[in-house]
């Protein structure tokens, strides 16, 4: 990267790279990479979060021009399967038109505009429910019951328009911009970094959505740094590095943060947790490790550490669950939060244990309402049938994230984040400065989001 790199001060606690030095296995080279451009300390205008006019302009300048994750390939496994992707008032039918071909057809009848489909399903043809115009599931026009009255609409002019489609790691991405650069230009380092972790070999063990009264960016940013743990998630402080997390900005679109497991937070200064206490906290719920091994109490073998011991439990649990050899999986890949974000609204966790995928979708054309989605991707067994993916659960207003059993203990953690979000939006609206301040290092991923947003809004990207 050509920009000047960040210079300390960092948090003075143990650094993530020092944690890797002490691990029992050599970590992959991608975890040794650092990219810390100095993005400065400028304040962020709250217009980005609270202005309906700004959001309206964003629809054309950002949402109609960026690559967005629409669904997983396993949601449309068979020819004719389709998923309806709704965003900012637009709608696409993401359809498997042939075994190896996925299309994104505009979900709007070319007669008088009715949506062709409103729910996911499987069809050979899309027949409009209003007057019966019919299209094949690859967008080819088939029939107009009143063809004699539409001399201006020969079949060749009636193909359903399409958005661009790209795939990576079992995810299907779409882009409304016909001139968009290929998906790879947005994903940057991601395919290389995820080569070992193979999200394409995973199935969804959870797929949960919930609406919140807050701007999509405010929601995304609640999941882009670790140092909110001290006040929002105090129960994870025995085993998580927060102020001393590592942050990377790889490109305009791709950022990462890494928070290690098995080391107590530097915010805890009044006591030193024993290795048994750390291991117990890691396995008792709330961490991804608890999705594989859940124990109320445990004993770390003499001479070992909670981090190495829990990593070993994960290695064994993964081998039992998948039949795949994980003897070379590093401790880091079996516990740490390796959180990658892709502008505008997609986030995917690396590593071998069950991984999280977040998406923050603006709720229709509202600047202050968001549908947040969490998926858990779990490794499929090496042999035998691929487990069926979880069906979408949409939580109602009074159903907390913790009421989705497929999220395990993570639901309660997300519920803690949720407790902030409506008040973040209300507080932004109530601002006396019309500005937001960001940490120079710990919040540089958030700063990058806003700089990239500005670049789209100004037409520089
Ligand atoms: S609006 Fe679709 S057939 Fe008339
Ligand atoms: Fe959080």
């Amino acid at each position: 990267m050509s920009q000047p790199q960040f210079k300390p001060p960092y948090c003075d606690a143990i650094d993530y790279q020092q944690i890797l030095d002490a691990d029992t296995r050599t970590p992959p080279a991608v975890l040794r990479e650092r990219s810390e451009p100095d993005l400065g300390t400028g304040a962020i205008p709250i217009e980005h979060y609270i202005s309906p006019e700004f959001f309206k302009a964003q629809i054309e300048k950002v949402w109609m021009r960026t690559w967005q994750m629409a669904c997983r390939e396993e949601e449309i496994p068979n020819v004719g399967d389709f998923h309806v992707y709704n965003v900012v008032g637009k709608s696409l039918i993401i359809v498997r038109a042939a075994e190896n071909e996925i299309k994104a057809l505009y979900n709007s009848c070319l007669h008088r505009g009715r949506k062709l489909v409103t729910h996911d399903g499987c069809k050979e043809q899309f027949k409009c429910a209003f007057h019966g115009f019919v299209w094949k599931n690859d967008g080819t026009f088939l029939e107009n019951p009143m063809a004699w009255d539409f001399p201006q609409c020969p079949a060749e002019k009636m193909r359903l328009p399409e958005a661009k489609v790209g795939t990576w790691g079992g995810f299907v991405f779409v882009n409304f911009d016909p001139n968009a650069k290929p998906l790879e230009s947005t994903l940057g380092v991601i395919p290389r970094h995820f080569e070992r972790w193979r999200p394409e070999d995973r199935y969804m063990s959870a797929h949960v959505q919930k609406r919140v009264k807050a701007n999509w960016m405010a929601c995304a940013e609640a999941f882009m740094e670790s140092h909110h743990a001290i006040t929002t998630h105090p129960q994870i402080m025995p085993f998580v590095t927060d102020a001393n997390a590592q942050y990377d900005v790889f490109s305009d679109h791709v950022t990462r943060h890494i928070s290690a497991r098995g080391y107590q937070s530097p915010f805890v200064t009044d006591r030193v947790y024993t290795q048994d206490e750390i291991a117990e906290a890691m396995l008792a719920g709330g961490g991804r490790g608890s999705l594989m091994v859940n124990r109320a109490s445990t004993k770390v073998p003499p001479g070992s550490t909670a981090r190495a011991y829990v990593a070993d439990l994960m290695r064994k649990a993964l081998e039992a669950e998948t039949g795949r050899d994980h003897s070379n999986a590093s401790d880091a890949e079996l516990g740490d939060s390796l959180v990658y974000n892709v502008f505008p609204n997609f986030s995917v966790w690396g590593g071998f244990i069950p991984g999280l995928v977040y998406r923050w979708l603006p709720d229709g054309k509202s600047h202050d309402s968001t549908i947040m989605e969490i998926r858990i991707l779990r490794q499929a067994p090496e042999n035998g049938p691929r487990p069926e993916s979880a069906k979408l659960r949409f939580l109602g207003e009074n159903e907390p994230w913790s009421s989705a059993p497929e999220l395990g203990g993570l639901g309660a953690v997300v519920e803690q984040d949720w407790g902030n979000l409506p008040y973040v939006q209300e507080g932004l609206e109530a601002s006396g400065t019309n500005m937001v301040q960001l940490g120079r290092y710990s919040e540089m991923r958030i700063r990058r989001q806003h700089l990239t947003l500005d670049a789209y809004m100004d037409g520089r990207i």
Side-chain angles (χ1 to χ4, degrees):
M1 184 163 286
S2 57
Q3 297 178 75
Q5 294 293 293
F6 185 84
K7 299 281 190 306
Y10 295 103
C11 167
D12 59 7
I14 187 169
D15 169 81
Y16 185 65
Q17 296 299 317
Q18 294 171 316
I19 290 173
L20 292 183
D21 292 342
D23 273 356
T24 67
R25 308 281 196 286
T26 306
V30 297
L31 296 186
R32 291 299 197 179
E33 289 180 26
R34 299 186 87 159
S35 182
E36 302 171 341
D38 188 352
L39 301 179
T41 56
I44 307 298
I46 60 165
E47 177 190 39
H48 284 190
Y49 308 100
I50 69 165
S51 162
E53 296 74 30
F54 186 85
F55 183 74
K56 200 167 167 216
Q58 212 182 86
I59 290 178
E60 282 309 314
K61 292 180 172 174
V62 177
W63 295 95
M64 292 299 101
R65 297 199 47 230
T66 45
W67 284 102
Q68 296 153 42
M69 192 274 284
C71 64
R72 291 274 303 167
E73 286 208 46
E74 69 255 37
E75 289 175 83
I76 48 169
N78 303 309
V79 175
D81 287 348
F82 63 90
H83 167 70
V84 180
Y85 176 62
N86 295 320
V87 65
V88 295
K90 296 284 182 187
S91 185
L92 295 172
I93 309 170
I94 318 295
V95 58
R96 192 172 288 277
E99 200 170 329
N100 293 311
E101 186 180 35
I102 295 172
K103 285 179 174 281
L105 307 171
Y106 277 70
N107 186 14
S108 175
C109 179
L110 298 189
H111 177 214
R112 278 164 52 196
R114 190 194 194 280
K115 268 188 172 177
L116 291 169
V117 285
T118 51
H119 296 96
D120 298 5
C122 181
K123 288 179 189 286
E124 277 181 30
Q125 302 175 349
F126 298 116
K127 180 175 184 177
C128 181
F130 199 171
H131 312 91
F133 283 40
V134 183
W135 284 264
K136 193 169 177 291
N137 62 17
D138 66 356
T140 315
F141 187 60
L142 291 179
E143 194 184 330
N144 173 353
M146 299 271 284
W148 54 268
D149 201 29
F150 290 78
Q152 76 280 29
C153 297
E156 64 272 19
K157 283 194 180 168
M158 292 290 280
R159 263 199 86 78
L160 288 176
E162 295 173 29
K164 290 190 127 179
V165 173
T167 58
W168 164 76
F171 295 100
V172 181
F173 294 80
V174 295
N175 194 318
F176 289 89
D177 180 359
N179 301 314
K181 291 187 191 147
L183 172 64
E184 294 68 34
S185 68
T186 284
L187 292 182
V189 302
I190 293 234
R192 177 171 63 79
H193 278 224
F194 279 75
E195 254 167 38
R196 264 165 78 81
W197 306 322
R198 301 186 61 78
E200 59 274 29
D201 291 341
R202 305 217 172 183
Y203 69 99
M204 291 191 296
S205 65
H207 186 191
V208 186
Q209 294 182 347
K210 188 168 163 70
R211 179 177 278 115
V212 62
K213 198 83 184 117
N215 174 267
W216 70 273
M217 256 180 137
C219 296
E221 292 162 10
F223 298 84
M224 292 177 77
E225 42 79 8
S226 296
H227 62 90
H228 65 281
I230 183 173
T231 37
T232 302
H233 312 296
Q235 78 281 10
I236 66 174
M237 294 179 69
F239 64 89
V240 87
T241 66
D242 41 34
N244 49 342
Q246 177 173 316
Y247 296 92
D248 296 286
V249 170
F250 291 108
S251 63
D252 292 344
H253 291 80
V254 178
T255 66
R256 172 176 78 176
H257 87 255
I258 303 181
S259 172
R261 295 293 184 269
Y263 285 77
Q264 74 180 60
S265 159
F267 286 131
V268 181
T269 53
D270 58 342
R271 61 170 298 189
V272 176
Y273 287 96
T274 67
Q275 293 300 306
D276 285 351
E277 286 174 323
I278 293 174
E280 272 175 29
M282 289 170 80
L283 296 172
R288 287 177 303 153
S290 66
L291 292 168
M292 306 219 61
V293 178
N294 202 320
R295 288 191 186 162
S297 73
T298 194
K299 270 259 164 288
V300 176
S304 186
T305 61
R307 180 175 170 85
Y309 170 64
V310 172
D312 225 30
L313 292 178
M314 295 302 142
R315 255 177 225 111
K316 293 192 181 96
L318 279 169
E319 282 170 13
E321 184 172 309
T322 69
R324 297 172 199 263
D325 175 22
H326 282 76
S327 51
N328 287 324
S330 65
D331 301 350
E333 294 166 295
L334 295 164
D336 296 346
S337 302
L338 311 170
V339 188
Y340 291 75
N341 281 57
V342 182
F343 185 86
N345 68 334
F346 173 61
S347 177
V348 55
W349 290 41
F352 291 114
I353 59 175
L356 299 177
V357 177
Y358 302 136
R359 184 175 63 167
W360 302 275
L361 271 179
D363 183 10
K365 295 184 183 180
S366 305
H367 72 283
D368 60 357
S369 181
T370 298
I371 294 170
M372 173 154 171
E373 171 182 270
I374 299 179
R375 301 169 197 242
I376 295 177
L377 293 187
R378 211 162 172 131
Q379 287 191 48
E382 188 165 30
N383 300 307
R386 196 184 167 101
E388 202 171 312
S389 272
K391 296 275 176 281
L392 173 65
R393 180 196 297 271
F394 198 104
L395 295 169
E397 198 180 339
N398 298 317
E399 292 179 289
W401 288 93
S402 51
S403 69
E406 60 271 43
L407 292 176
L410 293 169
V413 178
V414 177
E415 196 58 32
Q416 293 175 318
D417 295 303
W418 218 244
N420 291 328
L421 291 174
Y423 300 112
V424 169
Q425 190 68 26
E426 287 181 22
L428 287 164
E429 302 269 358
S431 171
T433 63
N434 294 330
M435 294 288 177
V436 166
Q437 299 292 343
L438 297 175
R440 185 178 175 194
Y441 178 70
S442 61
E443 291 170 341
M444 70 175 179
R445 300 211 307 148
I446 297 172
R447 190 181 303 286
R448 182 64 264 170
Q449 272 293 86
H450 287 273
L451 293 173
T452 299
L453 177 75
D454 282 338
Y456 272 100
M457 296 299 281
D458 299 347
R460 285 179 281 121
I461 297 184

